[in-house]
Amino acid sequence: MGYNTKQREKLLEYLIENKEQHMNVQKINSCFVNEGINVGTATIYRQLDKLVEQGIVRKYIIDEKTGACYQYIDSENDCHRHFHLKCTRCGKLIHLTCDHLSGLGDHIYEHHGFRVDPSKTVFYGLCADCEGAVQE
Amino acid sequence: MGYNTKQREKLLEYLIENKEQHMNVQKINSCFVNEGINVGTATIYRQLDKLVEQGIVRKYIIDEKTGACYQYIDSENDCHRHFHLKCTRCGKLIHLTCDHLSGLGDHIYEHHGFRVDPSKTVFYGLCADCEGAVQE
DNA sequence: TTGCGTGCAAAGGTTTTGCATGGCA
DNA sequence: TGCCATGCAAAACCTTTGCACGCAA
């Protein structure tokens, strides 16, 4: 399982504190800098890889430009069917909870033989605010 | 709509010729080199951006490491009404017309106030063939 | 003590940008 | 002619890697 270094602890602690949001390496890095914690970027990447492999953290590919995002998997209310909605106008990212879309992946798999990967799939469209703005 | 330069024509021609598969900038570039056509990489990126914006080409993020892929949108299919499944392994694009899914957009709109645009939304995952191949 | 983890810097890759030139309309 | 498009090179960006050192167990 690997050593339990203080860098790993700090990283995990930070991800748990921010488990409602997506974090990328940039955010993590600047937070550590602000708090005076010195953790090399390479270490962050290497530890994140391990955390993902161990099933503790989930990695999302939402936007090629901002890089990969990471999120702690809260075992109490985690959902593998967690999808994302991204507004093409304002760029807002909305997390869609599993209750509403549960069964979507199953349906596509059972009826169409396709195994959807929610960590890569993003629904594009207009959020409520932007749809109103466009129609005016 | 912009000028109709010979670089743009060559690029579009090439994408149409290969409309069954997705192409990345590297492939496009080396093909042009082989044919003795000189088109700068920056131009390819800039033209692809425009083609995507104009709805002529669709852009895919399959894998963060290999970079973006592009594919001509075949206008014979009515791609505004159905969803698309993209296999991250073989690149196959599946046009999914399904009653069960057509209610999906309505559901998301009614419950989350988000207007999904099916022509821009792609489900990433593994097709039946590739899922079988991976498991072996 | 053993060997994994770390930090730094350099390298890897894709994509973007600045600027002078070229070409479409 | 006016302005957008192009080409080249440099830069920006995220991510990975090599290597010597440090630290957990």
Side-chain angles (χ1 to χ4, degrees), chain B:
Chain B
M1 159 99 185
Y3 292 166
N4 191 21
T5 62
K6 75 175 197 305
Q7 288 88 340
R8 179 192 163 94
E9 270 185 20
K10 281 289 174 195
L11 177 59
L12 197 46
E13 184 184 298
Y14 180 67
L15 289 172
I16 291 175
E17 273 173 17
N18 297 283
K19 66 182 178 187
E20 326 80 37
Q21 36 181 328
H22 61 227
M23 311 300 295
N24 60 28
V25 173
Q26 213 178 331
K27 282 187 193 167
I28 296 169
N29 223 335
S30 59
C31 168
F32 282 172
V33 169
N34 287 341
E35 296 187 9
I37 303 169
N38 199 341
V39 179
T41 311
T43 298
I44 296 177
Y45 278 106
R46 286 190 273 230
Q47 279 295 349
L48 283 172
D49 276 353
K50 288 178 191 170
L51 290 169
V52 168
E53 205 173 325
Q54 290 162 9
I56 297 170
V57 165
R58 190 174 288 122
K59 178 178 184 177
Y60 299 100
I61 308 296
I62 301 289
D63 184 343
E64 46 168 352
K65 303 186 189 181
T66 53
C69 294
Y70 300 85
Q71 189 168 17
Y72 178 73
I73 297 175
D74 193 346
S75 53
E76 292 193 9
N77 297 311
D78 185 1
C79 289
H80 290 279
R81 295 202 191 226
H82 57 247
F83 285 95
H84 298 90
L85 312 178
K86 186 82 179 175
C87 179
T88 54
R89 189 167 173 274
C90 71
K92 193 190 306 170
L93 182 68
I94 299 166
H95 300 256
L96 187 58
T97 314
C98 170
D99 294 341
H100 184 271
L101 284 191
S102 53
L104 175 67
D106 295 338
H107 180 86
I108 292 178
Y109 185 62
E110 284 163 20
H111 289 80
H112 304 279
F114 190 95
R115 179 75 77 188
V116 174
D117 182 347
S119 70
K120 290 181 183 147
T121 298
V122 179
F123 291 83
Y124 294 99
L126 289 176
C127 70
D129 294 344
C130 286
E131 207 205 6
V134 165
Q135 284 177 342
E136 282 161 15

Side-chain angles (χ1 to χ4, degrees), chain A residues 90-135:
Chain A
C90 69
K92 193 191 304 171
L93 184 68
I94 299 166
H95 301 248
L96 202 56
T97 52
C98 57
D99 302 351
H100 308 285
L101 278 193
S102 69
L104 173 64
D106 293 339
H107 170 86
I108 293 179
Y109 185 61
E110 284 163 19
H111 291 78
H112 308 280
F114 190 93
R115 179 75 77 187
V116 173
D117 182 351
S119 71
K120 291 183 184 149
T121 299
V122 180
F123 290 83
Y124 289 99
L126 290 177
C127 71
D129 293 343
C130 288
E131 206 204 8
V134 165
Q135 285 176 343

Side-chain angles (χ1 to χ4, degrees), chain A residues 5-21:
Chain A
T5 62
K6 76 174 196 302
Q7 288 88 343
R8 179 191 163 95
E9 269 185 20
K10 281 289 174 196
L11 177 58
L12 196 46
E13 183 184 301
Y14 182 65
L15 288 171
I16 290 174
E17 272 173 19
N18 297 283
K19 65 184 179 188
E20 328 79 40
Q21 30 181 331

